[in-house]
Amino acid sequence: MGLKSRLIKRFASLGPYLREDQCGDNRFFFDCLAVCVSIKPAPETREFWGWWLELDAQEQTLFYSYRFGLFDKAGNWLDEPIKEPEVQTKVRTTQQDFHIRLKNLVQELEPPFSLSERP
């Protein structure tokens, strides 16, 4: 089993965050639809506030970059500021909780990896 396959299997254990179809050879994509903008539209056209993470494996380091914004009706992430404080708090809390779980998982990987914010 190759590195990508092993990492995909481990990352999938974190919950519904991994978007396997958006992962590349050494690139992994995660996201979280944390807060629904409005429940009035049909489920498939709803928009959400949340976060997404790009994680790149380079040698024994996983470089990460989080972004925050809006998941639109077309299924695209838009880098938009979250204006409502309670929505900001909810989105940040889900991201921080996920990051703790990711950090713990990375510490258990064999061979060992380190987790580092992308410069």
Side-chain angles (χ1 to χ4, degrees):
M1 184 183 291
L3 175 63
K4 178 186 174 190
S5 298
R6 286 186 293 125
L7 289 175
I8 291 272
K9 186 175 182 172
R10 293 302 308 269
F11 291 152
S13 73
L14 292 170
Y17 305 101
L18 179 67
R19 301 293 177 237
E20 196 169 340
D21 61 331
Q22 295 181 44
C23 295
D25 288 337
N26 294 321
R27 184 181 166 275
F28 303 90
F29 186 84
F30 303 78
D31 67 3
C32 175
L33 309 177
V35 178
C36 184
V37 173
S38 172
I39 61 170
K40 291 180 183 176
E44 60 276 3
T45 60
R46 290 182 185 159
E47 295 181 312
F48 294 86
W49 293 109
W51 56 264
W52 65 101
L53 163 68
E54 293 176 6
L55 191 66
D56 294 302
Q58 296 178 15
E59 297 180 16
Q60 296 308 115
T61 303
L62 295 169
F63 290 97
Y64 68 89
S65 175
Y66 285 98
R67 311 248 324 257
F68 300 87
L70 182 71
F71 189 78
D72 71 8
K73 296 174 194 172
N76 300 309
W77 279 106
L78 306 174
D79 197 353
E80 289 191 17
I82 302 169
K83 296 177 179 149
E84 297 175 43
E86 61 276 0
V87 173
Q88 279 182 354
T89 299
K90 175 69 174 172
V91 170
R92 288 279 180 189
T93 299
T94 62
Q95 181 270 325
Q96 290 165 352
D97 291 346
F98 172 82
H99 191 77
I100 290 167
R101 294 173 56 213
L102 174 64
K103 191 170 154 183
N104 291 339
L105 181 143
V106 168
Q107 291 173 349
E108 298 170 358
L109 291 175
E110 290 294 330
F113 277 82
S114 62
L115 191 60
S116 181
E117 189 167 6
R118 186 176 293 134

